[in-house]
Amino acid sequence: MADEAQIRVSDLEQIQTVEEFIAALRRLRADSGLTYRQLERRAHLHGDVLPYSTAFHALNRDRLPRPDLLEIIVRACGGDAHQTAVWQETWQRVRDLSAESGRPPSDPPPLPPVAPSSPSRRRTPPWLRLGSLIIASAVAIAADSSLSPTPPHPASTPAASHQCTTVLSMGAYGPCVQLIQERLQSRSMELPVDATFGPYTRMRLTAFQVSVRLPPTGMADTRTIQMLLTDGPLQLTWTRAQVKERLRHVFPPDAANSAMKLVWCMSAGDPLWITGPDSNGVRRWGLFQYTDLQLFSLRATPADALTPEWNIQTAYRLWQRSGSFTMWKCPVPDSLGSPAQIFG
């Protein structure tokens, strides 16, 4: 394999082999200064799904990654549209040269998802990205609820051999966790499928529990798993672009930018962002991260807070009372990392 230290990522036209291409891609990741978990978080900013295990395997093998995966990795490393296009052109050239030599140049297209038989990790298909499943217009969604029922979404029947009866929580790992992640994805909830019960899984599982009116414990007990195993409505919500557009529409121009910076600092523009419970047992919900006590004083519920329109309109009314955003502040980073760290 070519010496990685001597490969200049900016000189992609000199790359001729798969080994050189992978080495350059590794160098791109190293130059970005990001760990694989940070790549996963950065990809989330662009509406992409990039489990850290997928990125690791793509950069530590002797085959070209799929072109869609390559695009996600380059973008997560900070590449702009032009740089991404250059990488794609280099990928095509290296693939053609490898094909001429009779060597399998790249990964085959991804197969349709099937129920797992082991805790092995697998790639998340791009078609499961949250943005492709939501309403296209912010004007249309303004009058809608992010948790409103929609037609059932067909999902593959999980393997009966799993028999997931143990309560699963943070730190759990195995096929039952992977099954939970896949079932959350089947309802269009964006998260990596890596068989590890981490903060992201807890966040999405809590949002699911709220949507089906179960106690929002963030743990997968028997009742929660049973609900996940049944086909149900999609968990539709807004994209970050729609959140931005709505903030600009609701708040006056001189306050809209401050509102957007605050939302991105607190929740990364993710309407289903849930943090906590903290050391005091407090949880925070949605775009403007309302606490349990604030929701109680507003006579609202977590389901309200996870509804983008309610969340933004309520923040606007609170802002009108004082004319400032002093009642909100950026959170202290938790195990997932603060939104400011992930997307800053």
Side-chain angles (χ1 to χ4, degrees), residues 49-264:
V49 177
L50 180 64
Y52 70 89
S53 57
T54 299
F56 176 83
H57 289 302
L59 273 62
N60 289 273
R61 58 187 310 181
D62 59 354
R63 297 170 71 92
L64 295 175
R66 301 189 317 274
D68 59 311
L69 178 58
L70 172 65
E71 179 180 349
I72 292 174
I73 292 174
V74 173
R75 191 158 49 226
C77 288
D80 56 23
H82 172 72
Q83 292 167 329
T84 302
V86 173
W87 275 95
Q88 294 282 20
E89 292 171 2
T90 305
W91 181 94
Q92 186 63 53
R93 176 167 49 79
V94 172
R95 184 180 186 279
D96 293 342
L97 290 172
S98 298
E100 292 175 3
S101 66
R103 175 180 176 177
S106 62
D107 288 336
L111 296 174
V114 296
S117 58
S118 69
S120 61
R121 301 175 183 181
R122 62 186 182 130
R123 297 179 182 84
T124 302
W127 51 265
L128 283 174
R129 293 175 187 167
L130 186 60
S132 65
L133 296 173
I134 64 175
I135 306 173
S137 168
V139 176
I141 58 178
D144 198 8
S145 166
S146 65
L147 299 176
S148 60
T150 56
H153 175 67
S156 57
T157 303
S161 60
H162 284 134
Q163 299 298 319
C164 301
T165 57
T166 303
V167 176
L168 301 171
S169 59
M170 286 280 291
Y173 175 82
C176 287
V177 177
Q178 182 166 331
L179 175 63
I180 290 169
Q181 292 169 334
E182 290 176 339
R183 297 302 293 176
L184 289 169
Q185 275 197 349
S186 76
R187 294 177 184 247
S188 80
M189 300 187 73
E190 177 188 357
L191 78 164
V193 176
D194 57 8
T196 300
F197 199 122
Y200 228 118
T201 299
R202 180 181 65 182
M203 182 190 302
R204 296 321 197 199
L205 186 65
T206 303
F208 168 77
Q209 290 172 325
V210 169
S211 72
V212 296
R213 300 181 180 180
L214 290 176
T217 62
M219 297 186 292
D221 56 17
T222 301
R223 188 178 178 190
T224 299
I225 294 175
Q226 288 175 345
M227 292 292 289
L228 278 170
L229 295 181
T230 60
D231 289 337
L234 299 179
Q235 183 85 17
L236 300 184
T237 190
W238 296 4
T239 64
R240 290 176 179 81
Q242 290 171 320
V243 169
K244 285 183 178 180
E245 183 177 349
R246 192 61 182 153
L247 288 169
R248 290 193 186 101
H249 180 80
V250 171
F251 286 89
D254 59 340
N257 288 336
S258 296
M260 282 189 284
K261 290 179 181 179
L262 183 63
V263 165
W264 255 249

